Amino acid sequence: MTSVEEPARPGERIRDAARTRAEILDVATQEFARAGYDGARVDEIAARTRTTKRMIYYYFGGKEQLFTAVLERAYGVIREAEQQLDVDHLDPVAAIRRLAELTFDHHEQHPDFIRLVSIENIHEAHHIAASEKLGKIGSPALEVIRRILASGQESGLFTADVDAVDLHAMISSFCFFRVSNRHTFGALFGRDLLDRAQRAHYRAMLGDMVIAYLTAERTAD
């Protein structure tokens, strides 16, 4: 009797394609983060995956589209975490501190995300601007911040007229700098911003800084 291999069922092919795409994105994320957009090579990505350069082009269209897909997935991870954040049961001070801690933890745990964003800034957000997906993804954190600010202002805990985007930038800038500038900061000042012994200190400092800004007395211009 001749043994004939059973053809893959449609559902299996879909799962295999999803696994292949995920594997390509995993390796591409590492390669782009390591070498930058210009330095990354699709040949190298193919060599490190169980696929070919031709297959990568089949799935993604080219190097530029692959980098865009890497960015879309990287931003999607933090947006999903923001969507799952539940702070409605907390008072405004605890809620905004929790949101700041979420960003702190995410940026620390995803250094490749920091490198990818830095690379995209070098390219003046060309890939993000061209991505329909990233244009629609927004930031769930902004809506959470707006709700927290409204609650804090209504209760008299927070100073009025604090912009949610400004506050988001304030939180992100500290968390981003801590990872992106770790090596230069350490070389200049002899202090490792990712030192595990200082982690709780920096995490609390971020929350204290945000709360101080939200509760500071404002002087008229």
Side-chain angles (χ1 to χ4, degrees), residues 3 48 53 56 76 85 88 107 116 123 128-129 133 145 150 156-157 175 181 183 187 192 198 202 207 209 216 218-219:
S3 176
R48 294 175 55 196
K53 183 177 180 179
I56 291 175
L85 182 65
D88 290 338
H107 285 17
L116 291 169
H123 291 272
I128 289 178
K133 185 174 182 179
I145 290 173
L157 289 171
C175 299
N181 288 44
H183 300 293
D192 182 1
Q198 294 297 314
Y202 287 127
M209 178 174 65
R218 295 289 191 270
T219 57

mmCIF file of all heavy atoms in Angstrom, residues 3 48 53 56 76 85 88 107 116 123 128-129 133 145 150 156-157 175 181 183 187 192 198 202 207 209 216 218-219:
data_model
loop_
_atom_site.group_PDB
_atom_site.id
_atom_site.type_symbol
_atom_site.label_atom_id
_atom_site.label_comp_id
_atom_site.label_asym_id
_atom_site.label_seq_id
_atom_site.Cartn_x
_atom_site.Cartn_y
_atom_site.Cartn_z
ATOM 1 N N SER A 3 1.747 4.948 0.913
ATOM 2 C CA SER A 3 1.388 5.914 1.958
ATOM 3 C C SER A 3 1.376 7.306 1.351
ATOM 4 O O SER A 3 2.359 7.750 0.763
ATOM 5 C CB SER A 3 2.400 5.854 3.100
ATOM 6 O OG SER A 3 2.099 6.847 4.049
ATOM 7 N N ARG A 48 17.256 33.304 10.143
ATOM 8 C CA ARG A 48 16.983 32.993 11.550
ATOM 9 C C ARG A 48 15.580 32.446 11.780
ATOM 10 O O ARG A 48 15.197 32.165 12.919
ATOM 11 C CB ARG A 48 17.205 34.238 12.405
ATOM 12 C CG ARG A 48 18.657 34.698 12.457
ATOM 13 C CD ARG A 48 18.773 36.002 13.234
ATOM 14 N NE ARG A 48 18.194 35.891 14.563
ATOM 15 C CZ ARG A 48 17.878 36.937 15.331
ATOM 16 N NH1 ARG A 48 18.090 38.174 14.889
ATOM 17 N NH2 ARG A 48 17.355 36.757 16.529
ATOM 18 N N LYS A 53 13.379 34.357 2.298
ATOM 19 C CA LYS A 53 13.184 35.768 1.985
ATOM 20 C C LYS A 53 11.952 35.956 1.111
ATOM 21 O O LYS A 53 11.172 36.894 1.313
ATOM 22 C CB LYS A 53 14.434 36.300 1.292
ATOM 23 C CG LYS A 53 14.395 37.775 0.973
ATOM 24 C CD LYS A 53 15.714 38.211 0.360
ATOM 25 C CE LYS A 53 15.707 39.699 0.027
ATOM 26 N NZ LYS A 53 17.011 40.120 -0.551
ATOM 27 N N ILE A 56 8.879 35.819 3.238
ATOM 28 C CA ILE A 56 8.704 37.056 4.008
ATOM 29 C C ILE A 56 8.060 38.124 3.135
ATOM 30 O O ILE A 56 7.138 38.835 3.563
ATOM 31 C CB ILE A 56 10.063 37.535 4.559
ATOM 32 C CG1 ILE A 56 10.560 36.577 5.644
ATOM 33 C CG2 ILE A 56 9.938 38.956 5.134
ATOM 34 C CD1 ILE A 56 11.952 36.897 6.163
ATOM 35 N N GLY A 76 0.729 47.691 19.620
ATOM 36 C CA GLY A 76 -0.460 46.952 20.016
ATOM 37 C C GLY A 76 -0.336 46.323 21.388
ATOM 38 O O GLY A 76 -1.321 46.221 22.127
ATOM 39 N N LEU A 85 -6.362 47.940 31.767
ATOM 40 C CA LEU A 85 -6.141 48.629 33.039
ATOM 41 C C LEU A 85 -7.475 49.007 33.681
ATOM 42 O O LEU A 85 -8.307 49.677 33.074
ATOM 43 C CB LEU A 85 -5.310 49.893 32.798
ATOM 44 C CG LEU A 85 -4.949 50.721 34.038
ATOM 45 C CD1 LEU A 85 -4.029 49.937 34.954
ATOM 46 C CD2 LEU A 85 -4.299 52.036 33.618
ATOM 47 N N ASP A 88 -11.010 52.235 37.840
ATOM 48 C CA ASP A 88 -12.241 52.950 38.190
ATOM 49 C C ASP A 88 -12.602 52.810 39.664
ATOM 50 O O ASP A 88 -13.319 53.642 40.221
ATOM 51 C CB ASP A 88 -13.409 52.444 37.326
ATOM 52 C CG ASP A 88 -13.268 52.866 35.867
ATOM 53 O OD1 ASP A 88 -12.544 53.852 35.608
ATOM 54 O OD2 ASP A 88 -13.864 52.205 34.996
ATOM 55 N N HIS A 107 7.714 49.668 29.702
ATOM 56 C CA HIS A 107 8.926 50.136 29.034
ATOM 57 C C HIS A 107 10.158 49.387 29.540
ATOM 58 O O HIS A 107 11.063 49.083 28.764
ATOM 59 C CB HIS A 107 9.097 51.644 29.246
ATOM 60 C CG HIS A 107 8.157 52.464 28.412
ATOM 61 N ND1 HIS A 107 7.029 51.954 27.823
ATOM 62 C CD2 HIS A 107 8.183 53.777 28.058
ATOM 63 C CE1 HIS A 107 6.403 52.894 27.157
ATOM 64 N NE2 HIS A 107 7.083 54.008 27.275
ATOM 65 N N LEU A 116 12.849 50.503 18.927
ATOM 66 C CA LEU A 116 12.059 50.657 17.708
ATOM 67 C C LEU A 116 11.474 52.061 17.588
ATOM 68 O O LEU A 116 11.473 52.653 16.504
ATOM 69 C CB LEU A 116 10.933 49.617 17.674
ATOM 70 C CG LEU A 116 11.355 48.162 17.488
ATOM 71 C CD1 LEU A 116 10.175 47.236 17.743
ATOM 72 C CD2 LEU A 116 11.926 47.927 16.094
ATOM 73 N N HIS A 123 13.470 58.300 11.578
ATOM 74 C CA HIS A 123 12.820 58.338 10.264
ATOM 75 C C HIS A 123 11.576 59.236 10.268
ATOM 76 O O HIS A 123 10.744 59.150 9.360
ATOM 77 C CB HIS A 123 12.468 56.913 9.826
ATOM 78 C CG HIS A 123 13.662 56.081 9.505
ATOM 79 N ND1 HIS A 123 14.229 56.038 8.251
ATOM 80 C CD2 HIS A 123 14.440 55.283 10.287
ATOM 81 C CE1 HIS A 123 15.285 55.238 8.266
ATOM 82 N NE2 HIS A 123 15.438 54.764 9.490
ATOM 83 N N ILE A 128 4.806 55.088 10.793
ATOM 84 C CA ILE A 128 3.597 55.260 11.602
ATOM 85 C C ILE A 128 2.575 56.112 10.870
ATOM 86 O O ILE A 128 1.384 55.807 10.850
ATOM 87 C CB ILE A 128 3.952 55.885 12.970
ATOM 88 C CG1 ILE A 128 4.703 54.862 13.830
ATOM 89 C CG2 ILE A 128 2.693 56.371 13.690
ATOM 90 C CD1 ILE A 128 5.149 55.400 15.173
ATOM 91 N N ALA A 129 3.037 57.190 10.241
ATOM 92 C CA ALA A 129 2.130 58.083 9.512
ATOM 93 C C ALA A 129 1.444 57.365 8.355
ATOM 94 O O ALA A 129 0.300 57.683 8.013
ATOM 95 C CB ALA A 129 2.899 59.297 9.004
ATOM 96 N N LYS A 133 -3.505 51.209 10.447
ATOM 97 C CA LYS A 133 -3.756 50.525 11.721
ATOM 98 C C LYS A 133 -3.306 51.379 12.898
ATOM 99 O O LYS A 133 -4.036 51.529 13.884
ATOM 100 C CB LYS A 133 -3.037 49.182 11.735
ATOM 101 C CG LYS A 133 -3.324 48.334 12.959
ATOM 102 C CD LYS A 133 -2.691 46.961 12.827
ATOM 103 C CE LYS A 133 -3.012 46.083 14.030
ATOM 104 N NZ LYS A 133 -2.396 44.726 13.889
ATOM 105 N N ILE A 145 -6.769 58.637 31.436
ATOM 106 C CA ILE A 145 -6.228 59.843 32.062
ATOM 107 C C ILE A 145 -7.305 60.920 32.152
ATOM 108 O O ILE A 145 -7.444 61.586 33.188
ATOM 109 C CB ILE A 145 -5.007 60.372 31.279
ATOM 110 C CG1 ILE A 145 -3.821 59.420 31.448
ATOM 111 C CG2 ILE A 145 -4.619 61.771 31.762
ATOM 112 C CD1 ILE A 145 -2.631 59.767 30.578
ATOM 113 N N ALA A 150 -10.742 64.239 35.415
ATOM 114 C CA ALA A 150 -12.074 64.795 35.693
ATOM 115 C C ALA A 150 -12.511 64.463 37.113
ATOM 116 O O ALA A 150 -13.049 65.319 37.842
ATOM 117 C CB ALA A 150 -13.081 64.245 34.682
ATOM 118 N N GLY A 156 -11.639 68.012 43.896
ATOM 119 C CA GLY A 156 -10.771 69.058 44.435
ATOM 120 C C GLY A 156 -9.354 68.611 44.711
ATOM 121 O O GLY A 156 -8.546 69.383 45.238
ATOM 122 N N LEU A 157 -9.022 67.370 44.354
ATOM 123 C CA LEU A 157 -7.674 66.864 44.608
ATOM 124 C C LEU A 157 -6.656 67.392 43.593
ATOM 125 O O LEU A 157 -5.500 67.622 43.931
ATOM 126 C CB LEU A 157 -7.677 65.331 44.563
ATOM 127 C CG LEU A 157 -8.369 64.609 45.723
ATOM 128 C CD1 LEU A 157 -8.485 63.132 45.424
ATOM 129 C CD2 LEU A 157 -7.579 64.824 47.017
ATOM 130 N N CYS A 175 9.741 57.285 31.691
ATOM 131 C CA CYS A 175 9.855 55.838 31.493
ATOM 132 C C CYS A 175 10.721 55.522 30.279
ATOM 133 O O CYS A 175 11.520 54.570 30.305
ATOM 134 C CB CYS A 175 8.464 55.229 31.325
ATOM 135 S SG CYS A 175 7.389 55.453 32.759
ATOM 136 N N ASN A 181 18.218 55.874 27.562
ATOM 137 C CA ASN A 181 19.459 56.575 27.896
ATOM 138 C C ASN A 181 20.248 55.894 29.015
ATOM 139 O O ASN A 181 21.129 56.499 29.612
ATOM 140 C CB ASN A 181 19.155 58.021 28.305
ATOM 141 C CG ASN A 181 18.734 58.873 27.136
ATOM 142 O OD1 ASN A 181 17.943 58.448 26.304
ATOM 143 N ND2 ASN A 181 19.244 60.086 27.060
ATOM 144 N N HIS A 183 22.615 53.678 29.057
ATOM 145 C CA HIS A 183 24.060 53.522 28.901
ATOM 146 C C HIS A 183 24.792 54.871 28.908
ATOM 147 O O HIS A 183 25.837 55.004 29.565
ATOM 148 C CB HIS A 183 24.366 52.736 27.639
ATOM 149 C CG HIS A 183 23.773 51.354 27.636
ATOM 150 N ND1 HIS A 183 24.197 50.379 28.503
ATOM 151 C CD2 HIS A 183 22.769 50.811 26.902
ATOM 152 C CE1 HIS A 183 23.483 49.264 28.303
ATOM 153 N NE2 HIS A 183 22.621 49.515 27.337
ATOM 154 N N ALA A 187 27.356 56.135 31.800
ATOM 155 C CA ALA A 187 28.736 56.517 31.485
ATOM 156 C C ALA A 187 29.055 57.913 32.003
ATOM 157 O O ALA A 187 30.177 58.178 32.454
ATOM 158 C CB ALA A 187 28.957 56.457 29.970
ATOM 159 N N ASP A 192 23.268 53.426 37.091
ATOM 160 C CA ASP A 192 22.480 52.592 36.195
ATOM 161 C C ASP A 192 20.997 52.791 36.520
ATOM 162 O O ASP A 192 20.530 52.400 37.590
ATOM 163 C CB ASP A 192 22.875 51.122 36.369
ATOM 164 C CG ASP A 192 22.126 50.197 35.426
ATOM 165 O OD1 ASP A 192 21.312 50.684 34.612
ATOM 166 O OD2 ASP A 192 22.360 48.970 35.502
ATOM 167 N N GLN A 198 17.459 49.901 42.731
ATOM 168 C CA GLN A 198 16.860 51.229 42.711
ATOM 169 C C GLN A 198 15.498 51.263 42.017
ATOM 170 O O GLN A 198 14.894 52.328 41.894
ATOM 171 C CB GLN A 198 17.809 52.203 42.002
ATOM 172 C CG GLN A 198 19.102 52.445 42.728
ATOM 173 C CD GLN A 198 18.869 53.089 44.080
ATOM 174 O OE1 GLN A 198 18.104 54.035 44.210
ATOM 175 N NE2 GLN A 198 19.521 52.558 45.110
ATOM 176 N N TYR A 202 12.764 54.478 41.765
ATOM 177 C CA TYR A 202 12.409 55.205 40.545
ATOM 178 C C TYR A 202 10.920 55.080 40.238
ATOM 179 O O TYR A 202 10.286 56.026 39.759
ATOM 180 C CB TYR A 202 13.231 54.696 39.365
ATOM 181 C CG TYR A 202 14.673 55.140 39.412
ATOM 182 C CD1 TYR A 202 15.711 54.205 39.323
ATOM 183 C CD2 TYR A 202 15.015 56.484 39.559
ATOM 184 C CE1 TYR A 202 17.034 54.606 39.380
ATOM 185 C CE2 TYR A 202 16.334 56.889 39.615
ATOM 186 C CZ TYR A 202 17.339 55.949 39.519
ATOM 187 O OH TYR A 202 18.652 56.357 39.579
ATOM 188 N N GLY A 207 5.647 58.256 40.273
ATOM 189 C CA GLY A 207 4.321 58.545 40.810
ATOM 190 C C GLY A 207 4.297 59.824 41.614
ATOM 191 O O GLY A 207 3.369 60.641 41.483
ATOM 192 N N MET A 209 6.241 62.424 41.302
ATOM 193 C CA MET A 209 6.400 63.549 40.388
ATOM 194 C C MET A 209 5.074 63.905 39.722
ATOM 195 O O MET A 209 4.696 65.085 39.625
ATOM 196 C CB MET A 209 7.447 63.189 39.322
ATOM 197 C CG MET A 209 7.686 64.244 38.271
ATOM 198 S SD MET A 209 9.073 63.788 37.176
ATOM 199 C CE MET A 209 8.398 62.313 36.370
ATOM 200 N N ALA A 216 -0.101 70.696 42.471
ATOM 201 C CA ALA A 216 0.635 71.932 42.735
ATOM 202 C C ALA A 216 -0.263 73.143 42.584
ATOM 203 O O ALA A 216 -1.208 73.164 41.787
ATOM 204 C CB ALA A 216 1.827 72.048 41.770
ATOM 205 N N ARG A 218 -1.235 76.615 41.192
ATOM 206 C CA ARG A 218 -0.954 77.316 39.938
ATOM 207 C C ARG A 218 -1.026 78.818 40.173
ATOM 208 O O ARG A 218 -1.963 79.315 40.795
ATOM 209 C CB ARG A 218 -1.954 76.923 38.848
ATOM 210 C CG ARG A 218 -1.854 75.450 38.435
ATOM 211 C CD ARG A 218 -0.584 75.182 37.647
ATOM 212 N NE ARG A 218 -0.595 73.865 37.041
ATOM 213 C CZ ARG A 218 -0.131 72.762 37.636
ATOM 214 N NH1 ARG A 218 0.356 72.807 38.856
ATOM 215 N NH2 ARG A 218 -0.177 71.599 37.005
ATOM 216 N N THR A 219 -0.025 79.518 39.663
ATOM 217 C CA THR A 219 -0.039 80.978 39.752
ATOM 218 C C THR A 219 -0.555 81.551 38.447
ATOM 219 O O THR A 219 -0.295 81.000 37.354
ATOM 220 C CB THR A 219 1.381 81.525 40.003
ATOM 221 O OG1 THR A 219 2.249 81.071 38.966
ATOM 222 C CG2 THR A 219 1.899 81.042 41.348
#
